Structure formats: structure tokens, C-alpha cells
Amino acid sequence: LTAVPRNYDPVLHPFEVPREYTRALNATKLERVFAKPFLSSLDGHRDGVNCMAKHPKSLSTVLSGACDGEVKIWNLTKRQCIRTIQAHEGFVRGMCARFCGTSFFTVGDDKTVKQWKMESPECGEEEEPIHTILGKTVYTGIDHHWKEAVFATCGQQVDIWDEQRTSPMCSLTWGFDSISSVKFNPIETYLLGSCASDRNIVLYDMRKSTPLKKVILNMRTNTLCWNPMEAFVFTAANEDY
């Protein structure tokens, strides 16, 4: 019999389980390397996109507002623009859809709040807003109540508006800095959260005439978002990364 030289080093000849584990790990890594997370880009805006909003009822509809005052409504399944509106002069600062999905609101640098129909106008109709409210200051954000015909805007203060009226029902303020974002809580629908440029986050209750609580952080918070499952949790996008 001829002698077969064998090297018993476990690094060169691992057992079956470690060998298969390494192979599976490499295969998984390669799968992630060759995965394609990017699906498509929706092109059409002439200027930078400043704000976006989701349709509350339709998963395939997304709205986007640009820095030249243009608002586009996109169909995600077809990946194309359904409709374009020249909504404002200057930036579109914020937008939100009504809870029923029939209309949406935009605010811009021209100090106006406009309500638009979600459906395209019929043949011969002009593209005009349902309501236009002219404010005293520039509004930087807007959000709609989840159950009632009420929406909130922010700028120098947080204003609560009824859809049928041209002046705010109440104005809430704590400090003198400009407020960048306001959001209604989806479950505790009377609660609002806002973040301002003097590094604070303020919580409000619509039923009270004064703000509830103020938290001051080290850096500025740009926007915040409520957790739709646990009403008492929210996420803040802060400048400390």
C-alpha cells in the first residue's frame, strides 16, 4: 500500500458543520452584496424637493412639494406623475393630506394655506384650490387632525385652524423662536408635538389653552414623528446625528 500523507491541521480540514456554516455565511453575504435595494427614481421636479406627504387611504399615492412652489402627485405602482400643480410662489414649506383622503393642504413662502382636491380636475375645469387662507407670517409646517376637520400650522407659533374658518381657533406659543415642525398624535388625537429652532420640543393639548411640556436638548431638532402603535412614543430627528 502506498502511504497517503495527510495533514490533520483542523484549519485545513474543518468538520462538516463549521465548513457548511462558512459556506452559508459567504452565500448570504454575496446575496446582500448583489441585492438591489434601489427600485426607481421619480423624475420630474425642476427644483429640489422640500417636503413629502403620504395618502392616508391609498398606498400607491405620494405627494411631493418643491422649492419652486410646484406640487406633484405620483403613482408608485406605475412610477409616474399623475398631476402637477403650481401651488405657491416660492418654497412649498409643508403639506399634509386630509384624514379621509379627499383633499390635501399645502403651506408656502407666500404666507398662504391652500386646500386642494386630491382628484384631478375634470376637462375644462381650472386647477384652483378649494380654500385659500392668507396668514400674517410664513408657515413652516402643517399637519391635519386624524379624526376631525381641524389642522395645525407652525411658524412663529402653533395655530389650530377649523377648516371652515379663515382665522385660527387658538394660537399656542412658548418662547419666541420659529417652529419648524408640528405633528398630531394618531391615537391620542388631541395631542400635538412641535420642535423649534431654539433646540426645544414642546407638547400641546388642543383642549387646553397653554402648552403642556417643554424639553430642551443639546442640538436642534428638525422634525418629529409619532409612533402609530404606541401613542406615548415619538422619534425626533436631531442635528447630533
Side-chain angles (χ1 to χ4, degrees):
L1 289 173
T2 53
V4 180
R6 292 187 65 183
N7 190 339
Y8 288 102
D9 187 1
V11 179
L12 296 177
H13 301 282
F15 288 121
E16 194 177 3
V17 175
R19 201 163 58 217
E20 290 301 322
Y21 177 76
T22 310
R23 277 185 189 166
L25 200 64
N26 287 341
T28 310
K29 283 179 184 170
L30 282 173
E31 238 173 39
R32 294 309 302 144
V33 167
F34 294 122
K36 295 184 174 65
F38 175 73
L39 295 177
S40 71
S41 66
L42 303 169
D43 302 330
H45 277 295
R46 295 187 300 255
D47 213 330
V49 177
N50 196 41
C51 57
M52 294 180 77
K54 288 192 297 186
H55 194 289
K57 306 279 184 189
S58 161
L59 286 174
S60 62
T61 309
V62 165
L63 305 101
S64 62
C67 299
D68 56 356
E70 195 176 60
V71 170
K72 282 185 181 287
I73 303 178
W74 305 90
N75 185 324
L76 293 184
T77 45
K78 295 178 182 172
R79 291 174 194 172
Q80 63 189 32
C81 176
I82 310 169
R83 179 171 163 216
T84 304
I85 306 165
Q86 186 59 45
H88 294 277
E89 294 167 16
F91 280 47
V92 180
R93 288 288 172 190
M95 58 198 311
C96 70
R98 200 171 186 271
F99 62 91
C100 59
T102 53
S103 61
F104 64 94
F105 295 82
T106 59
V107 291
D109 276 359
D110 49 6
K111 300 183 183 177
T112 56
V113 182
K114 293 184 181 178
Q115 182 182 3
W116 306 83
K117 279 185 185 169
M118 196 66 83
E119 272 76 43
S120 304
E122 291 171 21
C123 191
E125 269 190 281
E126 283 192 22
E127 189 79 85
E128 285 189 340
I130 307 170
H131 297 302
T132 303
I133 299 168
L134 185 61
K136 294 176 180 153
T137 58
V138 174
Y139 299 113
T140 54
I142 184 168
D143 196 35
H144 201 282
H145 195 278
W146 289 76
K147 287 177 181 169
E148 292 172 20
V150 171
F151 64 92
T153 59
C154 61
Q156 289 183 0
Q157 63 208 19
V158 172
D159 293 326
I160 313 282
W161 305 76
D162 191 309
E163 283 182 16
Q164 308 303 323
R165 291 167 62 178
T166 55
S167 57
M169 293 194 296
C170 65
S171 298
L172 303 160
T173 179
W174 190 339
F176 296 99
D177 241 303
S178 64
I179 297 161
S180 58
S181 170
V182 63
K183 287 283 188 298
F184 273 101
N185 191 315
I187 298 163
E188 298 289 337
T189 51
Y190 291 103
L191 285 180
L192 299 103
S194 75
C195 47
S197 53
D198 57 351
R199 314 194 316 273
N200 66 33
I201 294 173
V202 186
L203 299 179
Y204 309 92
D205 191 332
M206 251 173 48
R207 296 164 293 190
K208 294 175 73 174
S209 56
T210 54
L212 290 175
K213 188 169 174 61
K214 185 178 193 175
V215 182
I216 298 177
L217 304 175
N218 291 331
M219 303 276 277
R220 193 176 79 181
T221 303
N222 291 320
T223 187
L224 56 90
C225 189
W226 292 94
N227 187 331
M229 304 289 280
E230 299 172 316
F232 44 85
V233 178
F234 66 86
T235 309
N238 199 276
E239 300 224 331
D240 60 358
Y241 310 102

